[in-house]
Amino acid sequence: MRRALWFLGLAALVAVLVIGLTQAGGGDSPEPGAGPSLAELKRAVADAPAPLAALYAQANQIVPSSPEDFERRLRALRGYPVVVNVWGSWCGPCKAEFPIFQRATQRLGERVAFLGINLIDGKRSAREFLDKRPVPYPSLEDGSGRIARKAAPGTQGAPITIYYDASGRRTFIHQGGYEREQDLIDDIERYAGA
């Protein structure tokens, strides 16, 4: 009896460790290449209006930033719905949802502004992450978490998706990852008015 309990305890410990590593990003799924290439993504937003084209000119870059820079960018995008994705290379759910953001940007990027916030990440790790999962929009470097705290008060960690309507008003904060592209598209339509 004692031996059976010991094995059950060991099995429970292994299960907790496996789940914890998966949630913390111990795996690297989906496999690189699961989403579109940077060239395909750039073609999809090539005819975007000038304010969006200016944003997308910094495709797949990590841009040094501050909360004030973030607010300036939002003001420059007035007139367009904005979807902001907070991510980190250390975040397993971020890896899983990036192909969803890639495809959503392909579909809606000429009428919706997409922007990333790279949360508390090493420059090299973040760069490697984007090399495997390119996006046609920039990500603001947020090494201290100040931008994310201002953009999504009361939230922690990543992923977080923040929605703004065309007037620049924050309308919704989604904590956690998206598992289906249609769920993201539905939220963009519902909360950003796209």
Side-chain angles (χ1 to χ4, degrees):
M1 179 70 167
R2 226 176 185 190
R3 190 173 187 169
L5 288 174
W6 187 84
F7 280 116
L8 282 174
L10 181 62
L13 178 63
V14 168
V16 167
L17 287 173
V18 168
I19 291 169
L21 286 173
T22 301
Q23 292 291 325
D28 197 19
S29 34
E31 290 298 318
S37 70
L38 184 56
E40 291 170 313
L41 293 163
K42 285 182 174 184
R43 277 194 299 276
V45 297
D47 294 327
L52 300 184
L55 176 71
Y56 298 145
Q58 293 182 306
N60 216 42
Q61 295 180 33
I62 299 170
V63 181
S65 198
S66 69
E68 296 76 26
D69 293 334
F70 175 68
E71 293 296 327
R72 272 192 293 278
R73 282 185 181 265
L74 288 179
R75 281 193 301 276
L77 294 168
R78 292 258 166 90
Y80 299 93
V82 180
V83 178
V84 178
N85 181 244
V86 180
W87 63 274
S89 66
W90 43 266
C91 165
C94 298
K95 294 173 185 178
E97 79 172 0
F98 245 63
I100 293 169
F101 274 87
Q102 290 172 317
R103 290 188 299 272
T105 307
Q106 274 185 305
R107 285 176 60 180
L108 302 174
E110 290 185 339
R111 56 191 174 100
V112 175
F114 287 83
L115 181 63
I117 296 176
N118 177 234
L119 181 64
I120 309 173
D121 215 341
K123 289 181 185 191
R124 182 176 176 195
S125 298
R127 181 72 262 149
E128 289 172 356
F129 183 96
L130 287 178
D131 287 345
K132 293 179 182 177
R133 300 162 192 85
V135 287
Y137 51 85
S139 291
L140 306 181
E141 185 177 28
D142 190 13
S144 66
R146 288 178 44 220
I147 300 170
R149 282 193 301 276
K150 183 170 182 148
T155 61
Q156 292 184 343
I160 301 167
T161 306
I162 309 152
Y163 296 88
Y164 296 85
D165 64 17
S167 69
R169 184 177 60 93
R170 183 179 57 221
T171 57
F172 186 66
I173 299 171
H174 175 87
Q175 176 87 50
Y178 282 95
E179 295 180 10
R180 294 180 339 117
E181 180 182 355
Q182 192 58 52
D183 294 338
L184 174 59
I185 299 294
D186 289 346
D187 280 356
I188 291 170
E189 291 171 356
R190 181 179 305 121
Y191 300 115

